[in-house]
Amino acid sequence: MSGKWAKNLFLIKQLDDDQMQAIPYPRLELHIHVLYKTVEAGVILGSLIGPAIALIRKRPMGATVFNSVRNGALIGAVAGPLMTEGAIRNQPYERIYDRSYRLRYNRDQVRVDRAVSYGAVVGAATTTFLGQGILPGLLIGIGASCVAGGIYNAKFNKQPKQKAPHALKKEEPKKEESGDAQTKTD
């Protein structure tokens, strides 16, 4: 990727529009964004499904939830690139660039991705330091920071939504005039 992409994702200060437009590799950027979202979804769903599995099958809660969360993250990690490529295959470069450009300006999405990045690192470092390995903390960090970022965006973020100034305009369907569509009957 590039330094500008990393600055937009990891630093709180927003880039100006010239810097946002100059971020290269929009296809890879889109893949990374969807990968974040599918892994986040897998971790959250796994953490919701795991306790139910443990109760129904009368298995140990901790190990069952961990396995469910891990499997959800793995499914998300595999599904993300496949879904992205399926959606953008045969799309012109301009459409892929435009989607990535719009995502750069979606501060709520960027904020959650940033929180997940930091949460994953802090979680992995904590459990590694405690002798529990990287994976448990990584998964806990992803799940907790995704939920925290979503709550922040929903409850505490009072900043107005910012539109990407140079995004492609969506075409509106053409409307027929009422006089042209009428037919005469005898």
PDB file of all heavy atoms in Angstrom, residues 10-48:
ATOM      1  N   PHE A  10      -4.606   4.965  10.023  1.00  0.00           N
ATOM      2  CA  PHE A  10      -4.079   4.856  11.378  1.00  0.00           C
ATOM      3  C   PHE A  10      -3.963   6.160  12.152  1.00  0.00           C
ATOM      4  O   PHE A  10      -3.882   6.138  13.372  1.00  0.00           O
ATOM      5  CB  PHE A  10      -2.713   4.165  11.357  1.00  0.00           C
ATOM      6  CG  PHE A  10      -2.786   2.764  10.830  1.00  0.00           C
ATOM      7  CD1 PHE A  10      -2.095   2.410   9.687  1.00  0.00           C
ATOM      8  CD2 PHE A  10      -3.551   1.800  11.460  1.00  0.00           C
ATOM      9  CE1 PHE A  10      -2.166   1.116   9.193  1.00  0.00           C
ATOM     10  CE2 PHE A  10      -3.637   0.508  10.980  1.00  0.00           C
ATOM     11  CZ  PHE A  10      -2.934   0.164   9.840  1.00  0.00           C
ATOM     12  N   LEU A  11      -3.940   7.300  11.474  1.00  0.00           N
ATOM     13  CA  LEU A  11      -3.803   8.573  12.171  1.00  0.00           C
ATOM     14  C   LEU A  11      -5.141   9.298  12.222  1.00  0.00           C
ATOM     15  O   LEU A  11      -5.953   9.195  11.312  1.00  0.00           O
ATOM     16  CB  LEU A  11      -2.761   9.458  11.478  1.00  0.00           C
ATOM     17  CG  LEU A  11      -1.361   8.856  11.372  1.00  0.00           C
ATOM     18  CD1 LEU A  11      -0.428   9.810  10.649  1.00  0.00           C
ATOM     19  CD2 LEU A  11      -0.800   8.504  12.737  1.00  0.00           C
ATOM     20  N   ILE A  12      -5.355  10.039  13.272  1.00  0.00           N
ATOM     21  CA  ILE A  12      -6.638  10.717  13.449  1.00  0.00           C
ATOM     22  C   ILE A  12      -6.763  11.926  12.526  1.00  0.00           C
ATOM     23  O   ILE A  12      -7.834  12.264  12.068  1.00  0.00           O
ATOM     24  CB  ILE A  12      -6.830  11.107  14.928  1.00  0.00           C
ATOM     25  CG1 ILE A  12      -6.956   9.833  15.760  1.00  0.00           C
ATOM     26  CG2 ILE A  12      -8.029  12.006  15.128  1.00  0.00           C
ATOM     27  CD1 ILE A  12      -6.971  10.030  17.235  1.00  0.00           C
ATOM     28  N   LYS A  13      -5.655  12.581  12.206  1.00  0.00           N
ATOM     29  CA  LYS A  13      -5.684  13.750  11.324  1.00  0.00           C
ATOM     30  C   LYS A  13      -6.079  13.321   9.908  1.00  0.00           C
ATOM     31  O   LYS A  13      -5.530  12.385   9.338  1.00  0.00           O
ATOM     32  CB  LYS A  13      -4.306  14.405  11.297  1.00  0.00           C
ATOM     33  CG  LYS A  13      -4.251  15.640  10.452  1.00  0.00           C
ATOM     34  CD  LYS A  13      -2.860  16.224  10.406  1.00  0.00           C
ATOM     35  CE  LYS A  13      -2.865  17.405   9.455  1.00  0.00           C
ATOM     36  NZ  LYS A  13      -1.535  17.785   9.054  1.00  0.00           N
ATOM     37  N   GLN A  14      -7.063  14.024   9.341  1.00  0.00           N
ATOM     38  CA  GLN A  14      -7.533  13.693   8.004  1.00  0.00           C
ATOM     39  C   GLN A  14      -6.642  14.327   6.940  1.00  0.00           C
ATOM     40  O   GLN A  14      -6.192  15.455   7.081  1.00  0.00           O
ATOM     41  CB  GLN A  14      -8.971  14.152   7.810  1.00  0.00           C
ATOM     42  CG  GLN A  14      -9.542  13.677   6.492  1.00  0.00           C
ATOM     43  CD  GLN A  14     -11.046  13.806   6.442  1.00  0.00           C
ATOM     44  OE1 GLN A  14     -11.685  13.952   7.456  1.00  0.00           O
ATOM     45  NE2 GLN A  14     -11.579  13.754   5.251  1.00  0.00           N
ATOM     46  N   LEU A  15      -6.428  13.591   5.877  1.00  0.00           N
ATOM     47  CA  LEU A  15      -5.648  14.085   4.744  1.00  0.00           C
ATOM     48  C   LEU A  15      -6.477  15.086   3.952  1.00  0.00           C
ATOM     49  O   LEU A  15      -7.707  15.045   3.970  1.00  0.00           O
ATOM     50  CB  LEU A  15      -5.255  12.927   3.832  1.00  0.00           C
ATOM     51  CG  LEU A  15      -4.495  11.764   4.463  1.00  0.00           C
ATOM     52  CD1 LEU A  15      -4.273  10.667   3.435  1.00  0.00           C
ATOM     53  CD2 LEU A  15      -3.177  12.225   5.026  1.00  0.00           C
ATOM     54  N   ASP A  16      -5.810  15.966   3.192  1.00  0.00           N
ATOM     55  CA  ASP A  16      -6.562  16.856   2.312  1.00  0.00           C
ATOM     56  C   ASP A  16      -6.963  16.078   1.053  1.00  0.00           C
ATOM     57  O   ASP A  16      -6.531  14.951   0.831  1.00  0.00           O
ATOM     58  CB  ASP A  16      -5.769  18.128   1.986  1.00  0.00           C
ATOM     59  CG  ASP A  16      -4.484  17.871   1.208  1.00  0.00           C
ATOM     60  OD1 ASP A  16      -4.447  16.938   0.377  1.00  0.00           O
ATOM     61  OD2 ASP A  16      -3.513  18.624   1.426  1.00  0.00           O
ATOM     62  N   ASP A  17      -7.818  16.679   0.242  1.00  0.00           N
ATOM     63  CA  ASP A  17      -8.373  15.949  -0.900  1.00  0.00           C
ATOM     64  C   ASP A  17      -7.310  15.546  -1.919  1.00  0.00           C
ATOM     65  O   ASP A  17      -7.405  14.464  -2.506  1.00  0.00           O
ATOM     66  CB  ASP A  17      -9.475  16.761  -1.585  1.00  0.00           C
ATOM     67  CG  ASP A  17     -10.208  15.916  -2.610  1.00  0.00           C
ATOM     68  OD1 ASP A  17     -10.741  14.854  -2.235  1.00  0.00           O
ATOM     69  OD2 ASP A  17     -10.221  16.314  -3.795  1.00  0.00           O
ATOM     70  N   ASP A  18      -6.303  16.378  -2.141  1.00  0.00           N
ATOM     71  CA  ASP A  18      -5.242  16.001  -3.082  1.00  0.00           C
ATOM     72  C   ASP A  18      -4.525  14.739  -2.607  1.00  0.00           C
ATOM     73  O   ASP A  18      -4.212  13.851  -3.406  1.00  0.00           O
ATOM     74  CB  ASP A  18      -4.230  17.141  -3.250  1.00  0.00           C
ATOM     75  CG  ASP A  18      -4.808  18.322  -4.009  1.00  0.00           C
ATOM     76  OD1 ASP A  18      -5.769  18.115  -4.788  1.00  0.00           O
ATOM     77  OD2 ASP A  18      -4.316  19.451  -3.826  1.00  0.00           O
ATOM     78  N   GLN A  19      -4.274  14.644  -1.311  1.00  0.00           N
ATOM     79  CA  GLN A  19      -3.638  13.441  -0.767  1.00  0.00           C
ATOM     80  C   GLN A  19      -4.576  12.236  -0.859  1.00  0.00           C
ATOM     81  O   GLN A  19      -4.130  11.128  -1.149  1.00  0.00           O
ATOM     82  CB  GLN A  19      -3.227  13.677   0.688  1.00  0.00           C
ATOM     83  CG  GLN A  19      -2.120  14.695   0.847  1.00  0.00           C
ATOM     84  CD  GLN A  19      -1.890  15.051   2.296  1.00  0.00           C
ATOM     85  OE1 GLN A  19      -2.829  15.276   3.054  1.00  0.00           O
ATOM     86  NE2 GLN A  19      -0.617  15.097   2.685  1.00  0.00           N
ATOM     87  N   MET A  20      -5.867  12.457  -0.605  1.00  0.00           N
ATOM     88  CA  MET A  20      -6.843  11.359  -0.705  1.00  0.00           C
ATOM     89  C   MET A  20      -6.908  10.825  -2.136  1.00  0.00           C
ATOM     90  O   MET A  20      -6.998   9.616  -2.342  1.00  0.00           O
ATOM     91  CB  MET A  20      -8.233  11.832  -0.281  1.00  0.00           C
ATOM     92  CG  MET A  20      -8.355  12.118   1.181  1.00  0.00           C
ATOM     93  SD  MET A  20      -8.494  10.629   2.147  1.00  0.00           S
ATOM     94  CE  MET A  20      -9.732  11.115   3.292  1.00  0.00           C
ATOM     95  N   GLN A  21      -6.864  11.718  -3.107  1.00  0.00           N
ATOM     96  CA  GLN A  21      -6.927  11.288  -4.499  1.00  0.00           C
ATOM     97  C   GLN A  21      -5.667  10.569  -4.936  1.00  0.00           C
ATOM     98  O   GLN A  21      -5.710   9.740  -5.839  1.00  0.00           O
ATOM     99  CB  GLN A  21      -7.156  12.497  -5.420  1.00  0.00           C
ATOM    100  CG  GLN A  21      -8.540  13.084  -5.317  1.00  0.00           C
ATOM    101  CD  GLN A  21      -8.721  14.225  -6.292  1.00  0.00           C
ATOM    102  OE1 GLN A  21      -8.245  14.167  -7.420  1.00  0.00           O
ATOM    103  NE2 GLN A  21      -9.404  15.266  -5.865  1.00  0.00           N
ATOM    104  N   ALA A  22      -4.533  10.872  -4.296  1.00  0.00           N
ATOM    105  CA  ALA A  22      -3.246  10.320  -4.725  1.00  0.00           C
ATOM    106  C   ALA A  22      -2.939   8.949  -4.121  1.00  0.00           C
ATOM    107  O   ALA A  22      -1.886   8.385  -4.388  1.00  0.00           O
ATOM    108  CB  ALA A  22      -2.131  11.299  -4.363  1.00  0.00           C
ATOM    109  N   ILE A  23      -3.856   8.384  -3.325  1.00  0.00           N
ATOM    110  CA  ILE A  23      -3.604   7.063  -2.734  1.00  0.00           C
ATOM    111  C   ILE A  23      -3.690   6.023  -3.846  1.00  0.00           C
ATOM    112  O   ILE A  23      -4.717   5.905  -4.521  1.00  0.00           O
ATOM    113  CB  ILE A  23      -4.608   6.758  -1.608  1.00  0.00           C
ATOM    114  CG1 ILE A  23      -4.404   7.748  -0.459  1.00  0.00           C
ATOM    115  CG2 ILE A  23      -4.451   5.320  -1.121  1.00  0.00           C
ATOM    116  CD1 ILE A  23      -5.423   7.631   0.659  1.00  0.00           C
ATOM    117  N   PRO A  24      -2.606   5.259  -4.059  1.00  0.00           N
ATOM    118  CA  PRO A  24      -2.610   4.270  -5.151  1.00  0.00           C
ATOM    119  C   PRO A  24      -3.248   2.940  -4.735  1.00  0.00           C
ATOM    120  O   PRO A  24      -3.599   2.742  -3.574  1.00  0.00           O
ATOM    121  CB  PRO A  24      -1.120   4.088  -5.439  1.00  0.00           C
ATOM    122  CG  PRO A  24      -0.460   4.314  -4.120  1.00  0.00           C
ATOM    123  CD  PRO A  24      -1.303   5.352  -3.414  1.00  0.00           C
ATOM    124  N   TYR A  25      -3.386   2.057  -5.685  1.00  0.00           N
ATOM    125  CA  TYR A  25      -3.859   0.677  -5.487  1.00  0.00           C
ATOM    126  C   TYR A  25      -5.275   0.585  -4.921  1.00  0.00           C
ATOM    127  O   TYR A  25      -5.500  -0.042  -3.885  1.00  0.00           O
ATOM    128  CB  TYR A  25      -2.890  -0.115  -4.598  1.00  0.00           C
ATOM    129  CG  TYR A  25      -1.451   0.052  -4.966  1.00  0.00           C
ATOM    130  CD1 TYR A  25      -0.565   0.688  -4.099  1.00  0.00           C
ATOM    131  CD2 TYR A  25      -0.964  -0.389  -6.196  1.00  0.00           C
ATOM    132  CE1 TYR A  25       0.773   0.855  -4.430  1.00  0.00           C
ATOM    133  CE2 TYR A  25       0.367  -0.219  -6.545  1.00  0.00           C
ATOM    134  CZ  TYR A  25       1.227   0.404  -5.666  1.00  0.00           C
ATOM    135  OH  TYR A  25       2.535   0.578  -5.991  1.00  0.00           O
ATOM    136  N   PRO A  26      -6.264   1.167  -5.588  1.00  0.00           N
ATOM    137  CA  PRO A  26      -7.625   1.141  -5.045  1.00  0.00           C
ATOM    138  C   PRO A  26      -8.209  -0.272  -4.964  1.00  0.00           C
ATOM    139  O   PRO A  26      -9.005  -0.555  -4.066  1.00  0.00           O
ATOM    140  CB  PRO A  26      -8.420   2.013  -6.023  1.00  0.00           C
ATOM    141  CG  PRO A  26      -7.624   2.018  -7.283  1.00  0.00           C
ATOM    142  CD  PRO A  26      -6.199   1.893  -6.855  1.00  0.00           C
ATOM    143  N   ARG A  27      -7.817  -1.159  -5.852  1.00  0.00           N
ATOM    144  CA  ARG A  27      -8.330  -2.534  -5.799  1.00  0.00           C
ATOM    145  C   ARG A  27      -7.871  -3.223  -4.512  1.00  0.00           C
ATOM    146  O   ARG A  27      -8.660  -3.853  -3.813  1.00  0.00           O
ATOM    147  CB  ARG A  27      -7.882  -3.314  -7.032  1.00  0.00           C
ATOM    148  CG  ARG A  27      -8.443  -4.703  -7.114  1.00  0.00           C
ATOM    149  CD  ARG A  27      -7.914  -5.441  -8.363  1.00  0.00           C
ATOM    150  NE  ARG A  27      -8.892  -6.398  -8.792  1.00  0.00           N
ATOM    151  CZ  ARG A  27      -9.741  -6.252  -9.782  1.00  0.00           C
ATOM    152  NH1 ARG A  27      -9.717  -5.158 -10.513  1.00  0.00           N
ATOM    153  NH2 ARG A  27     -10.619  -7.177 -10.076  1.00  0.00           N
ATOM    154  N   LEU A  28      -6.591  -3.095  -4.181  1.00  0.00           N
ATOM    155  CA  LEU A  28      -6.057  -3.665  -2.945  1.00  0.00           C
ATOM    156  C   LEU A  28      -6.698  -3.003  -1.732  1.00  0.00           C
ATOM    157  O   LEU A  28      -7.035  -3.678  -0.751  1.00  0.00           O
ATOM    158  CB  LEU A  28      -4.532  -3.513  -2.915  1.00  0.00           C
ATOM    159  CG  LEU A  28      -3.827  -4.031  -1.661  1.00  0.00           C
ATOM    160  CD1 LEU A  28      -4.092  -5.528  -1.457  1.00  0.00           C
ATOM    161  CD2 LEU A  28      -2.331  -3.763  -1.771  1.00  0.00           C
ATOM    162  N   GLU A  29      -6.889  -1.710  -1.796  1.00  0.00           N
ATOM    163  CA  GLU A  29      -7.537  -0.974  -0.708  1.00  0.00           C
ATOM    164  C   GLU A  29      -8.945  -1.501  -0.454  1.00  0.00           C
ATOM    165  O   GLU A  29      -9.354  -1.702   0.695  1.00  0.00           O
ATOM    166  CB  GLU A  29      -7.581   0.507  -1.069  1.00  0.00           C
ATOM    167  CG  GLU A  29      -8.188   1.399  -0.040  1.00  0.00           C
ATOM    168  CD  GLU A  29      -8.199   2.850  -0.481  1.00  0.00           C
ATOM    169  OE1 GLU A  29      -7.689   3.182  -1.573  1.00  0.00           O
ATOM    170  OE2 GLU A  29      -8.734   3.667   0.289  1.00  0.00           O
ATOM    171  N   LEU A  30      -9.679  -1.763  -1.520  1.00  0.00           N
ATOM    172  CA  LEU A  30     -11.030  -2.301  -1.400  1.00  0.00           C
ATOM    173  C   LEU A  30     -10.997  -3.714  -0.817  1.00  0.00           C
ATOM    174  O   LEU A  30     -11.814  -4.061   0.048  1.00  0.00           O
ATOM    175  CB  LEU A  30     -11.709  -2.297  -2.774  1.00  0.00           C
ATOM    176  CG  LEU A  30     -13.213  -2.346  -2.808  1.00  0.00           C
ATOM    177  CD1 LEU A  30     -13.846  -1.280  -1.944  1.00  0.00           C
ATOM    178  CD2 LEU A  30     -13.683  -2.208  -4.248  1.00  0.00           C
ATOM    179  N   HIS A  31     -10.040  -4.519  -1.259  1.00  0.00           N
ATOM    180  CA  HIS A  31      -9.889  -5.865  -0.700  1.00  0.00           C
ATOM    181  C   HIS A  31      -9.619  -5.809   0.801  1.00  0.00           C
ATOM    182  O   HIS A  31     -10.218  -6.571   1.568  1.00  0.00           O
ATOM    183  CB  HIS A  31      -8.745  -6.618  -1.397  1.00  0.00           C
ATOM    184  CG  HIS A  31      -9.161  -7.351  -2.623  1.00  0.00           C
ATOM    185  ND1 HIS A  31      -9.767  -8.581  -2.583  1.00  0.00           N
ATOM    186  CD2 HIS A  31      -9.048  -7.038  -3.940  1.00  0.00           C
ATOM    187  CE1 HIS A  31     -10.011  -8.999  -3.808  1.00  0.00           C
ATOM    188  NE2 HIS A  31      -9.588  -8.060  -4.655  1.00  0.00           N
ATOM    189  N   ILE A  32      -8.732  -4.930   1.217  1.00  0.00           N
ATOM    190  CA  ILE A  32      -8.401  -4.820   2.641  1.00  0.00           C
ATOM    191  C   ILE A  32      -9.612  -4.361   3.440  1.00  0.00           C
ATOM    192  O   ILE A  32      -9.910  -4.899   4.517  1.00  0.00           O
ATOM    193  CB  ILE A  32      -7.200  -3.876   2.845  1.00  0.00           C
ATOM    194  CG1 ILE A  32      -5.934  -4.531   2.293  1.00  0.00           C
ATOM    195  CG2 ILE A  32      -7.024  -3.517   4.327  1.00  0.00           C
ATOM    196  CD1 ILE A  32      -4.729  -3.610   2.223  1.00  0.00           C
ATOM    197  N   HIS A  33     -10.354  -3.396   2.920  1.00  0.00           N
ATOM    198  CA  HIS A  33     -11.542  -2.906   3.619  1.00  0.00           C
ATOM    199  C   HIS A  33     -12.562  -4.029   3.820  1.00  0.00           C
ATOM    200  O   HIS A  33     -13.075  -4.219   4.926  1.00  0.00           O
ATOM    201  CB  HIS A  33     -12.178  -1.741   2.855  1.00  0.00           C
ATOM    202  CG  HIS A  33     -13.505  -1.353   3.411  1.00  0.00           C
ATOM    203  ND1 HIS A  33     -13.636  -0.650   4.590  1.00  0.00           N
ATOM    204  CD2 HIS A  33     -14.756  -1.608   2.983  1.00  0.00           C
ATOM    205  CE1 HIS A  33     -14.920  -0.478   4.842  1.00  0.00           C
ATOM    206  NE2 HIS A  33     -15.615  -1.046   3.884  1.00  0.00           N
ATOM    207  N   VAL A  34     -12.851  -4.770   2.758  1.00  0.00           N
ATOM    208  CA  VAL A  34     -13.842  -5.849   2.878  1.00  0.00           C
ATOM    209  C   VAL A  34     -13.309  -6.967   3.772  1.00  0.00           C
ATOM    210  O   VAL A  34     -14.068  -7.563   4.541  1.00  0.00           O
ATOM    211  CB  VAL A  34     -14.261  -6.366   1.485  1.00  0.00           C
ATOM    212  CG1 VAL A  34     -15.192  -7.567   1.606  1.00  0.00           C
ATOM    213  CG2 VAL A  34     -14.946  -5.257   0.687  1.00  0.00           C
ATOM    214  N   LEU A  35     -12.017  -7.225   3.716  1.00  0.00           N
ATOM    215  CA  LEU A  35     -11.415  -8.217   4.610  1.00  0.00           C
ATOM    216  C   LEU A  35     -11.626  -7.817   6.070  1.00  0.00           C
ATOM    217  O   LEU A  35     -12.010  -8.647   6.900  1.00  0.00           O
ATOM    218  CB  LEU A  35      -9.927  -8.373   4.300  1.00  0.00           C
ATOM    219  CG  LEU A  35      -9.167  -9.379   5.156  1.00  0.00           C
ATOM    220  CD1 LEU A  35      -9.674 -10.787   4.897  1.00  0.00           C
ATOM    221  CD2 LEU A  35      -7.682  -9.296   4.853  1.00  0.00           C
ATOM    222  N   TYR A  36     -11.395  -6.560   6.389  1.00  0.00           N
ATOM    223  CA  TYR A  36     -11.663  -6.079   7.746  1.00  0.00           C
ATOM    224  C   TYR A  36     -13.106  -6.382   8.126  1.00  0.00           C
ATOM    225  O   TYR A  36     -13.376  -6.924   9.197  1.00  0.00           O
ATOM    226  CB  TYR A  36     -11.464  -4.555   7.816  1.00  0.00           C
ATOM    227  CG  TYR A  36     -10.117  -4.089   8.290  1.00  0.00           C
ATOM    228  CD1 TYR A  36      -9.014  -4.080   7.455  1.00  0.00           C
ATOM    229  CD2 TYR A  36      -9.946  -3.605   9.583  1.00  0.00           C
ATOM    230  CE1 TYR A  36      -7.790  -3.615   7.880  1.00  0.00           C
ATOM    231  CE2 TYR A  36      -8.725  -3.133  10.019  1.00  0.00           C
ATOM    232  CZ  TYR A  36      -7.643  -3.141   9.160  1.00  0.00           C
ATOM    233  OH  TYR A  36      -6.428  -2.676   9.592  1.00  0.00           O
ATOM    234  N   LYS A  37     -14.041  -6.006   7.260  1.00  0.00           N
ATOM    235  CA  LYS A  37     -15.461  -6.137   7.594  1.00  0.00           C
ATOM    236  C   LYS A  37     -15.893  -7.597   7.735  1.00  0.00           C
ATOM    237  O   LYS A  37     -16.683  -7.927   8.620  1.00  0.00           O
ATOM    238  CB  LYS A  37     -16.338  -5.435   6.540  1.00  0.00           C
ATOM    239  CG  LYS A  37     -16.112  -3.947   6.493  1.00  0.00           C
ATOM    240  CD  LYS A  37     -16.359  -3.324   7.846  1.00  0.00           C
ATOM    241  CE  LYS A  37     -15.737  -1.964   7.960  1.00  0.00           C
ATOM    242  NZ  LYS A  37     -15.491  -1.568   9.333  1.00  0.00           N
ATOM    243  N   THR A  38     -15.403  -8.475   6.869  1.00  0.00           N
ATOM    244  CA  THR A  38     -15.829  -9.881   6.957  1.00  0.00           C
ATOM    245  C   THR A  38     -15.207 -10.570   8.168  1.00  0.00           C
ATOM    246  O   THR A  38     -15.862 -11.402   8.807  1.00  0.00           O
ATOM    247  CB  THR A  38     -15.515 -10.654   5.663  1.00  0.00           C
ATOM    248  OG1 THR A  38     -14.125 -10.523   5.342  1.00  0.00           O
ATOM    249  CG2 THR A  38     -16.369 -10.148   4.506  1.00  0.00           C
ATOM    250  N   VAL A  39     -13.979 -10.229   8.517  1.00  0.00           N
ATOM    251  CA  VAL A  39     -13.369 -10.795   9.733  1.00  0.00           C
ATOM    252  C   VAL A  39     -14.101 -10.254  10.959  1.00  0.00           C
ATOM    253  O   VAL A  39     -14.410 -11.017  11.885  1.00  0.00           O
ATOM    254  CB  VAL A  39     -11.857 -10.504   9.793  1.00  0.00           C
ATOM    255  CG1 VAL A  39     -11.285 -10.843  11.163  1.00  0.00           C
ATOM    256  CG2 VAL A  39     -11.128 -11.298   8.713  1.00  0.00           C
ATOM    257  N   GLU A  40     -14.411  -8.959  10.971  1.00  0.00           N
ATOM    258  CA  GLU A  40     -15.168  -8.384  12.086  1.00  0.00           C
ATOM    259  C   GLU A  40     -16.512  -9.098  12.242  1.00  0.00           C
ATOM    260  O   GLU A  40     -16.907  -9.472  13.356  1.00  0.00           O
ATOM    261  CB  GLU A  40     -15.418  -6.897  11.861  1.00  0.00           C
ATOM    262  CG  GLU A  40     -14.192  -6.032  11.965  1.00  0.00           C
ATOM    263  CD  GLU A  40     -14.398  -4.637  11.397  1.00  0.00           C
ATOM    264  OE1 GLU A  40     -15.549  -4.249  11.076  1.00  0.00           O
ATOM    265  OE2 GLU A  40     -13.395  -3.915  11.253  1.00  0.00           O
ATOM    266  N   ALA A  41     -17.210  -9.288  11.134  1.00  0.00           N
ATOM    267  CA  ALA A  41     -18.506  -9.969  11.181  1.00  0.00           C
ATOM    268  C   ALA A  41     -18.348 -11.404  11.683  1.00  0.00           C
ATOM    269  O   ALA A  41     -19.159 -11.884  12.489  1.00  0.00           O
ATOM    270  CB  ALA A  41     -19.158  -9.958   9.792  1.00  0.00           C
ATOM    271  N   GLY A  42     -17.317 -12.091  11.224  1.00  0.00           N
ATOM    272  CA  GLY A  42     -17.080 -13.463  11.673  1.00  0.00           C
ATOM    273  C   GLY A  42     -16.810 -13.544  13.161  1.00  0.00           C
ATOM    274  O   GLY A  42     -17.314 -14.436  13.848  1.00  0.00           O
ATOM    275  N   VAL A  43     -16.020 -12.616  13.677  1.00  0.00           N
ATOM    276  CA  VAL A  43     -15.707 -12.598  15.118  1.00  0.00           C
ATOM    277  C   VAL A  43     -16.973 -12.303  15.925  1.00  0.00           C
ATOM    278  O   VAL A  43     -17.254 -12.988  16.914  1.00  0.00           O
ATOM    279  CB  VAL A  43     -14.590 -11.568  15.421  1.00  0.00           C
ATOM    280  CG1 VAL A  43     -14.475 -11.300  16.912  1.00  0.00           C
ATOM    281  CG2 VAL A  43     -13.264 -12.052  14.863  1.00  0.00           C
ATOM    282  N   ILE A  44     -17.739 -11.319  15.514  1.00  0.00           N
ATOM    283  CA  ILE A  44     -18.963 -10.962  16.244  1.00  0.00           C
ATOM    284  C   ILE A  44     -19.967 -12.111  16.191  1.00  0.00           C
ATOM    285  O   ILE A  44     -20.534 -12.509  17.223  1.00  0.00           O
ATOM    286  CB  ILE A  44     -19.592  -9.664  15.680  1.00  0.00           C
ATOM    287  CG1 ILE A  44     -18.627  -8.484  15.811  1.00  0.00           C
ATOM    288  CG2 ILE A  44     -20.929  -9.369  16.346  1.00  0.00           C
ATOM    289  CD1 ILE A  44     -18.251  -8.094  17.208  1.00  0.00           C
ATOM    290  N   LEU A  45     -20.203 -12.663  15.009  1.00  0.00           N
ATOM    291  CA  LEU A  45     -21.144 -13.781  14.902  1.00  0.00           C
ATOM    292  C   LEU A  45     -20.662 -14.994  15.691  1.00  0.00           C
ATOM    293  O   LEU A  45     -21.453 -15.671  16.365  1.00  0.00           O
ATOM    294  CB  LEU A  45     -21.364 -14.162  13.432  1.00  0.00           C
ATOM    295  CG  LEU A  45     -22.183 -13.169  12.617  1.00  0.00           C
ATOM    296  CD1 LEU A  45     -22.196 -13.555  11.148  1.00  0.00           C
ATOM    297  CD2 LEU A  45     -23.600 -13.087  13.156  1.00  0.00           C
ATOM    298  N   GLY A  46     -19.370 -15.275  15.622  1.00  0.00           N
ATOM    299  CA  GLY A  46     -18.818 -16.381  16.390  1.00  0.00           C
ATOM    300  C   GLY A  46     -19.004 -16.204  17.879  1.00  0.00           C
ATOM    301  O   GLY A  46     -19.287 -17.165  18.608  1.00  0.00           O
ATOM    302  N   SER A  47     -18.867 -14.953  18.352  1.00  0.00           N
ATOM    303  CA  SER A  47     -19.028 -14.705  19.786  1.00  0.00           C
ATOM    304  C   SER A  47     -20.493 -14.800  20.216  1.00  0.00           C
ATOM    305  O   SER A  47     -20.775 -15.029  21.389  1.00  0.00           O
ATOM    306  CB  SER A  47     -18.456 -13.345  20.163  1.00  0.00           C
ATOM    307  OG  SER A  47     -19.211 -12.307  19.591  1.00  0.00           O
ATOM    308  N   LEU A  48     -21.410 -14.643  19.285  1.00  0.00           N
ATOM    309  CA  LEU A  48     -22.831 -14.797  19.601  1.00  0.00           C
ATOM    310  C   LEU A  48     -23.281 -16.258  19.486  1.00  0.00           C
ATOM    311  O   LEU A  48     -24.109 -16.723  20.281  1.00  0.00           O
ATOM    312  CB  LEU A  48     -23.670 -13.917  18.669  1.00  0.00           C
ATOM    313  CG  LEU A  48     -23.443 -12.412  18.783  1.00  0.00           C
ATOM    314  CD1 LEU A  48     -24.226 -11.674  17.708  1.00  0.00           C
ATOM    315  CD2 LEU A  48     -23.824 -11.910  20.171  1.00  0.00           C
TER     316      LEU A  48
END
